[in-house]
Amino acid sequence: MPSRLSRQMDPFPELQLPESRVLIIITGGTICMRRSDDGLIPAKGFLRAALAPRPSFNDNSYQDPLEIVTDDKGTRKAVQSLRTPISAYDRRVRYSVLEFDELLDSSSIDAAGWDQIARTIYRNYQLFDGFVVLHGTDSLAYTCSALSFMLQNLGKPVILTGSQAPMMELQNDAQDNLLSSLIIAGHFMIPEVCLFFNFKLFRGNRTTKVSAEDFDAFASPNLRPLAQISSLRTNVQWNLVYRPTTVHPFSIQTKLDTSHVACLRIFPGMKPEMVDAVLRLEGLKGLILETFGAGNTPGGPDSAMTQILAAAVKRGIVIVNVTQCLSGSVSPLYAPGTVLGRAGVVFGQDLTSEAALTKLAYLLALPESTPEEVAKRMCISLRGELTETTRTHFEHPKNGSLTPELSSLTALGYSIQAGDLQGARDIIRGEPRWLLNDADYNLSTPVHLAATGRNVDILKDFLEQGASVHLRNREGHTPLYLAAHAGLAGHVQILTDAGAHLHSDEMAAARLHAESGGDAAVWATAGVSGAAAG
Ligand code: ASP
């Protein structure tokens, strides 16, 4: 890896843009399958067989090894990396591949497989700017939904993708899906679990598989794509991107127990006893009921079906009503839906079945969860998985020669400089676009400016609004580096509380500062191991 200093002296300006690092995690699926006598089966050696020979995945530069963490003890292993050619955004993506020992057809994945993916991301979180997970398409919408809940306070992109035809087949969708996922993960700070397929980036927990053979295999019926790829560019809908808005670092919740939940689809003439039999399964704690239209089941308030559901709710089983329709929401619009609501069945609004089932398994797995608490949280958005009432945007008049984006950003810069918290809030509130991850000519975001600003409350406010702590400026520096360099202990603390960490590229310089005249205690808080704290 060339050091930051050597890169700064490089005569070629485009090389001065920081390279981003992405980890590709391979779990299996058609994308990495090869033909066998038993049909398609997942095959190992993807980097060497499928990526290294393709010019769009390998610019043939020196293949620096990258470190990856392989277990919970933090054991590090150096593995081969490859680098893409320079992108339309003047950046290259360096990536390594971590292949699971057992590659799966995704129809066999379960909660243990989701744990394995979540742990791999968690262990390697500080070493990479983004993650791409290769996965079969069959259960992809379930895995995306499960991970969106398991990865708490996620600050970096996690993009799951797969393909309908293997990468090693002459005609395939694998190459486009993987390359676009890699580019998005390495260029755009979308801190969500996403699914990329057929030129569209979706919020993962909004997706469902809609075709067993078309390249256009996934849909997100209740939310527009977060981004679309055209021949010219990647159009990100920044106003749709979900961001955590509490100041907590990234963490994971594992051990979703899918044996405690079930999903039942209502059909005309269904016997209430069938539903009762499922609701009496030993250990069952939650049921997703796929109902007709806007949330209706057969029978009135005193029907056997309603009584069975009401009795189960009283026994502490959480029952969630979602629609069988591809799009739309359940609500007490019609009498049958209202009856269910009165019986204690939760309205799942526009949740997909995949998101409802995995959300229920996630909430039930949380320590000290109670049926009442789970039922309450099923109706509110935790990761943008359901539509809450829309927010109103206000716009203030703009003038001058700068574009509206730049003039708002500049005005925000002045407020930060003046330490004017209210002024900064007013600018953000009056701005319909997502301003906090925008960057100026030096690629400095408002968080970079606030990280060395005079009023730490402005920094805290930005973080509470979901601003990213991981974006790097043109010199490759994170806001945390700038705050530590300025010796601002309070700023460093709030940034690390929000999950900020120094980028691997910054470590050597940070160590140097900590050892030679910098504030060692501040650098230690920023994560420079060995720098004396206190
Ligand atoms: N059966 C395959 C899987 O889900 C299908 C695919 O990847 O498209 O692993």
Side-chain angles (χ1 to χ4, degrees):
M1 191 77 218
S3 76
R4 173 117 306 280
L5 288 178
S6 67
R7 217 182 285 151
Q8 276 170 353
M9 287 185 288
D10 200 300
F12 301 104
E14 84 271 16
L15 293 182
Q16 292 180 10
L17 277 183
E19 221 174 61
S20 39
R21 292 183 181 178
V22 173
L23 180 63
I24 301 179
I25 300 167
I26 305 189
T27 71
T30 297
I31 194 162
C32 68
M33 287 190 186
R34 299 209 202 131
R35 294 180 202 189
S36 80
D37 293 343
D38 298 327
L40 290 171
I41 49 167
K44 294 244 175 138
F46 192 75
L47 180 122
R48 186 174 303 179
L51 300 176
R54 288 184 158 81
S56 42
F57 287 91
N58 182 3
D59 69 353
N60 273 315
S61 57
Y62 174 65
Q63 298 175 359
D64 284 323
L66 285 185
E67 284 197 324
I68 56 172
V69 180
T70 53
D71 59 26
D72 283 339
K73 284 181 267 159
T75 311
R76 289 192 181 206
K77 184 169 118 186
V79 294
Q80 185 184 353
S81 78
L82 294 177
R83 194 172 75 163
T84 65
I86 200 148
S87 70
Y89 302 91
D90 286 340
R91 180 167 287 190
R92 298 170 201 267
V93 181
R94 180 171 292 285
Y95 62 92
S96 283
V97 165
L98 189 154
E99 253 170 3
F100 282 176
D101 289 341
E102 193 195 349
L103 298 177
L104 288 181
D105 184 300
S106 78
S107 44
S108 299
I109 201 158
D110 55 16
W114 298 339
D115 278 12
Q116 204 186 349
I117 302 171
R119 282 180 201 283
T120 304
I121 292 170
Y122 184 73
R123 290 174 195 142
N124 287 283
Y125 192 72
Q126 303 215 350
L127 297 178
F128 292 89
D129 298 302
F131 300 84
V132 171
V133 181
L134 302 192
H135 191 287
T137 60
D138 286 348
S139 59
L140 186 50
Y142 286 92
T143 299
C144 286
S145 298
L147 286 175
S148 77
F149 301 114
M150 296 165 80
L151 306 183
Q152 303 167 134
N153 295 299
L154 180 65
K156 300 184 180 186
V158 172
I159 304 181
L160 285 90
T161 192
S163 66
Q164 295 283 51
M167 186 92 155
M168 299 307 279
E169 290 293 315
L170 184 57
Q171 285 185 291
N172 67 68
D173 53 336
Q175 177 154 334
D176 280 336
N177 286 347
L178 177 50
L179 187 59
S180 300
S181 301
L182 200 54
I183 298 288
I184 295 176
H187 288 69
F188 300 100
M189 192 49 78
I190 301 175
E192 292 210 41
V193 175
C194 304
L195 188 161
F196 186 89
F197 224 86
N198 198 40
F199 307 108
K200 290 189 269 307
L201 183 78
F202 301 110
R203 175 170 304 150
N205 58 30
R206 292 293 196 140
T207 58
T208 192
K209 184 171 177 180
V210 290
S211 173
E213 53 199 45
D214 290 349
F215 286 155
D216 204 5
F218 286 88
S220 167
N222 287 318
L223 184 76
R224 282 180 292 133
L226 300 180
Q228 302 219 40
I229 309 258
S230 70
S231 58
L232 296 178
R233 57 186 300 234
T234 302
N235 293 299
V236 181
Q237 298 297 314
W238 288 109
N239 55 333
L240 294 182
V241 173
Y242 182 86
R243 301 174 176 84
T245 52
T246 53
V247 177
H248 290 301
F250 173 57
S251 65
I252 53 171
Q253 166 71 38
T254 53
K255 301 200 170 48
L256 269 56
D257 192 346
T258 43
S259 58
H260 287 158
V261 291
C263 184
L264 263 186
R265 186 178 174 97
I266 298 288
F267 57 88
M270 185 182 205
K271 289 175 77 175
E273 294 81 4
M274 279 185 191
V275 180
D276 197 34
V278 171
L279 285 167
R280 289 187 186 280
L281 283 172
E282 210 189 314
L284 192 89
K285 294 184 184 164
L287 176 74
I288 305 300
L289 205 58
E290 292 186 350
T291 59
F292 302 130
N296 306 315
T297 51
D302 300 323
S303 73
M305 182 77 92
T306 309
Q307 284 178 16
I308 283 167
L309 294 171
V313 172
K314 284 214 183 80
R315 294 199 301 275
I317 296 178
V318 182
I319 306 180
V320 184
N321 184 352
V322 298
T323 178
Q324 295 178 8
C325 298
L326 194 55
S327 69
S329 183
V330 300
S331 66
L333 178 64
Y334 296 96
T338 311
V339 164
L340 290 184
R342 290 204 185 116
V345 174
V346 176
F347 290 106
Q349 297 165 75
D350 60 352
L351 283 171
T352 60
S353 293
E354 293 91 330
L357 189 88
T358 52
K359 182 175 180 180
L360 195 53
Y362 164 76
L363 290 175
L364 289 168
L366 292 178
E368 291 155 34
S369 77
T370 61
E372 296 72 34
E373 187 60 24
V374 171
K376 211 163 81 199
R377 297 188 75 193
M378 280 306 295
C379 315
I380 56 171
S381 163
L382 302 181
R383 312 277 190 271
E385 71 280 6
L386 56 80
T387 308
E388 285 183 338
T389 31
T390 47
R391 285 194 224 137
T392 317
H393 290 302
F394 303 95
E395 195 157 5
H396 58 81
K398 314 232 168 37
N399 49 30
S401 56
L402 294 173
T403 61
E405 290 88 342
L406 284 178
S407 87
S408 297
L409 201 59
T410 309
L412 192 57
Y414 279 111
S415 293
I416 297 166
Q417 173 71 15
D420 177 4
L421 174 62
Q422 195 51 49
R425 281 191 178 147
D426 288 346
I427 293 164
I428 294 164
R429 202 181 47 232
E431 178 54 61
R433 287 167 297 269
W434 174 252
L435 199 61
L436 287 177
N437 286 357
D438 266 2
D440 65 11
Y441 60 91
N442 190 39
L443 297 184
S444 291
T445 63
V447 181
H448 281 97
L449 305 182
T452 55
R454 65 174 75 173
N455 186 349
V456 73
D457 289 341
I458 295 183
L459 179 62
K460 186 156 180 279
D461 190 66
F462 289 175
L463 301 181
E464 282 169 349
Q465 295 193 56
S468 174
V469 292
H470 299 301
L471 289 163
R472 291 191 288 155
N473 67 12
R474 196 170 290 281
E475 282 80 44
H477 287 315
T478 56
L480 179 61
Y481 182 96
L482 301 183
H485 191 251
L488 297 170
H491 294 57
V492 167
Q493 189 63 55
I494 182 93
L495 283 162
T496 52
D497 287 348
H501 59 80
L502 296 170
H503 194 275
S504 339
D505 277 359
E506 295 174 313
M507 272 301 179
R511 240 175 246 127
L512 216 67
H513 285 300
E515 283 158 14
S516 57
D519 188 330
V522 171
W523 283 109
T525 313
V528 179
S529 47

